[in-house]
């Protein structure tokens, strides 16, 4: 029995995944997936790749199958929340507002303690960048139209002595920004 030639592909040990290194794949800020610089036009293929997307502890993104893994670039968030559904639901024995978001890969995610909404404010302009957790380490950026729908449902709550504007979903309050006094009332 002879040994395989040195340039023959080597199988990883049983249970180990073959590391493919950096894949020439990128998810743009607008949610478009690219392979070798060209957009991936088939939504089904994007959704297939998205189903094996993971985030590493170091913040890098990996496509990981049972036998292979490879690193990809993500410019902002790997998903975009493209739709929001508002309804009253029974959560914990009480009727409460519940918000759900649909991603560009048709995953429906309820806003709750396991899938929090966070809004990052630009320190210079205070422009909001809203996100919702889809899966551990993987967020969807909430698109502008959906964010405006969400803001229309906002209420003011006092949290740790600060008046915050935010939304409730499944009994959890998600702050959006500091509450701003009504300029008409403030002028009186």
């Amino acid at each position: 029995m002879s040994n395989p030639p040195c340039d023959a592909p080597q199988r990883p040990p049983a249970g180990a995944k073959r590391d493919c290194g950096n894949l020439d794949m990128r998810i743009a800020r607008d949610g478009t997936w690219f392979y070798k610089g060209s957009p991936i036009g088939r939504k089904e293929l994007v959704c297939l790749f998205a189903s094996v997307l993971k985030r590493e502890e170091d913040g890098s993104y990996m496509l990981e199958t049972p036998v292979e893994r490879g690193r990809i670039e993500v410019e902002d968030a790997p998903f975009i929340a493209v739709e929001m559904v508002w309804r009253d639901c029974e959560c914990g024995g009480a009727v409460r507002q519940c918000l759900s978001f649909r991603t560009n890969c048709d995953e429906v995610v309820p806003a709750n303690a396991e899938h929090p909404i966070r809004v990052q404010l630009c320190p210079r302009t205070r422009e909001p960048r809203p996100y919702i957790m889809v899966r551990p380490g993987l967020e969807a950026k909430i698109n502008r139209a959906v964010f405006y729908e969400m803001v229309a449902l906002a209420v003011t709550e006092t949290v740790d002595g600060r008046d915050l504007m935010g939304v409730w979903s499944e009994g959890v309050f998600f702050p959006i920004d500091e509450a701003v006094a009504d300029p008409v009332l403030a002028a009186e």
Side-chain angles (χ1 to χ4, degrees), residues 60-127:
S60 63
Y61 293 88
M62 304 290 282
L63 294 181
E64 188 172 310
T65 70
V67 295
E68 294 180 322
R69 63 192 316 247
R71 181 172 276 102
I72 69 168
E73 178 188 347
V74 178
E75 291 181 354
D76 188 356
F79 304 107
I80 304 292
V82 296
E83 182 181 27
M84 180 186 76
V85 174
W86 170 90
R87 63 185 173 83
D88 285 332
C89 60
E90 193 166 320
C91 304
V95 176
R96 298 179 177 168
Q97 175 173 278
C98 296
L99 306 177
S100 295
F101 295 83
R102 183 178 60 84
T103 72
N104 55 322
C105 289
D106 293 330
E107 287 185 69
V108 176
V109 182
N112 57 30
E114 293 176 8
H115 302 100
I117 296 169
R118 75 176 178 92
V119 178
Q120 180 180 334
L121 297 173
C122 174
R124 190 175 49 80
T125 65
R126 297 199 48 81
E127 180 180 347

Side-chain angles (χ1 to χ4, degrees), residues 86-185:
W86 170 90
R87 63 185 173 83
D88 285 332
C89 60
E90 193 166 320
C91 304
V95 176
R96 298 179 177 168
Q97 175 173 278
C98 296
L99 306 177
S100 295
F101 295 83
R102 183 178 60 84
T103 72
N104 55 322
C105 289
D106 293 330
E107 287 185 69
V108 176
V109 182
N112 57 30
E114 293 176 8
H115 302 100
I117 296 169
R118 75 176 178 92
V119 178
Q120 180 180 334
L121 297 173
C122 174
R124 190 175 49 80
T125 65
R126 297 199 48 81
E127 180 180 347
R129 291 178 51 193
Y131 301 87
I132 182 165
M133 185 67 65
V134 176
R135 297 192 299 262
L138 300 175
E139 292 181 311
K141 185 173 184 179
I142 300 171
N143 79 15
R144 186 176 305 261
V146 172
F147 180 65
Y148 288 155
E149 287 180 56
M150 188 176 81
V151 168
L153 299 172
V155 296
T156 301
E157 296 287 342
T158 302
V159 178
D160 296 329
R162 294 174 40 215
D163 289 336
L164 300 176
M165 181 179 73
V167 293
W168 285 94
S169 183
E170 294 192 19
V172 180
F173 182 72
F174 299 104
I176 295 172
D177 197 355
E178 300 284 333
V180 179
D182 186 334
V184 173
L185 296 175

